[in-house]
Amino acid sequence: MKVAITRDVSPSITQCELTHLVRTPIDYERACSQHRQYRRVLASLGCSIIELPANASYPDSVFVEDTAVVLDDVAVITRPGAESRRGETEAIAEVLSRYRSVVKIEAPATLDGGDVLVLEDRFYVGMTPRSNEAALDQLRRLTGREVTGVRVDGCLHLKSAVTRVSRDALLVNREWVDVAPFAGWRLIDVEEPFGANALLVDDLVLYPRAFPRTLAKLDGIDVRLVDADELAKAEGGVTCCSLILNVPERT
Ligand code: CIR
């Protein structure tokens, strides 16, 4: 079965980090309601949902994706690039340690999970202000996987610009990411700049309702739509709000 780790929206979300967006008012109740819908859709896809409580000390803590990279054999706890986010990892490490052996990215490395795209058994890591070269070396050493750095420019994370949407296809915004490392994949170009962030769960895609022109290009792919525009004001997308892991069924 699949377990999805999620965390309630922090009441301090209005003080979130922002890099490429201008601050606009965030409606906390609306963000919570959209987040509940997101959890319901994940549950409808067969995920068992872990709901961690909000923490007002961490405005961005709903974006659990940035705190860890979870493989079938190990969980890597990140060291987020934004200092305000470093303390978010503690609660996540505690939960993950129930399911995986846990290893940690250490200083001077910084890494946001949003910068890590795992394709088959290889890591692609966005070279952004949040994630550095030292993190690539540590990821290689801690996981034994191949790790490729990818040039990203103009957006927050690698997965703002490229995500997987099927067995063989990636959704990409070429304005923001160098697609050369993804040779061999079928590339679907976004029609809306923020439309490249999709969440693949098994062979279904969870996707924001806000990007109909890109959605139209996902024909043949089974898509579940969610409203995600309130948390998008905090620079978050659909991958950011969960960590999904395979867990063997108990017999
Ligand atoms: C941040 O800047 O860290 C948050 N406001 C948004 C993080 C979104 N996370 C993600 O794309 N993985």
Side-chain angles (χ1 to χ4, degrees), residues 16-17 60 63 65-66 85 114 130 156-157 234-236 240:
C16 65
E17 296 282 341
D60 281 304
F63 302 123
E65 171 181 54
D66 293 317
R85 302 201 56 191
R130 298 290 178 91
L156 181 60
H157 288 131
E235 232 166 338
C240 319

Side-chain angles (χ1 to χ4, degrees), residues 213-231:
R213 288 183 298 123
T214 304
L215 173 67
K217 296 175 86 172
L218 301 181
D219 52 335
I221 297 174
D222 201 348
V223 177
R224 299 287 184 274
L225 292 178
V226 289
D227 296 301
D229 51 297
E230 208 56 46
L231 286 174

Side-chain angles (χ1 to χ4, degrees), residues 13 15-20 59-67 80 82 84-85 88 112-115 130 156-160 197 231-241:
I13 181 81
Q15 282 136 53
C16 65
E17 296 282 341
L18 285 179
T19 307
H20 296 279
D60 281 304
S61 49
V62 65
F63 302 123
V64 291
E65 171 181 54
D66 293 317
T67 62
S84 68
R85 302 201 56 191
E88 293 175 29
D112 277 12
D115 274 325
R130 298 290 178 91
L156 181 60
H157 288 131
L158 175 66
K159 278 189 272 187
S160 318
N197 188 260
L231 286 174
K233 296 176 187 169
E235 232 166 338
V238 287
T239 61
C240 319
C241 293

Side-chain angles (χ1 to χ4, degrees), residues 41-76:
V41 174
L42 281 180
S44 77
L45 301 185
C47 295
S48 161
I49 313 291
I50 294 182
E51 303 186 1
L52 297 176
N55 185 330
S57 306
Y58 300 116
D60 281 304
S61 49
V62 65
F63 302 123
V64 291
E65 171 181 54
D66 293 317
T67 62
V69 178
V70 187
L71 303 176
D72 282 345
D73 54 337
V74 68
V76 181

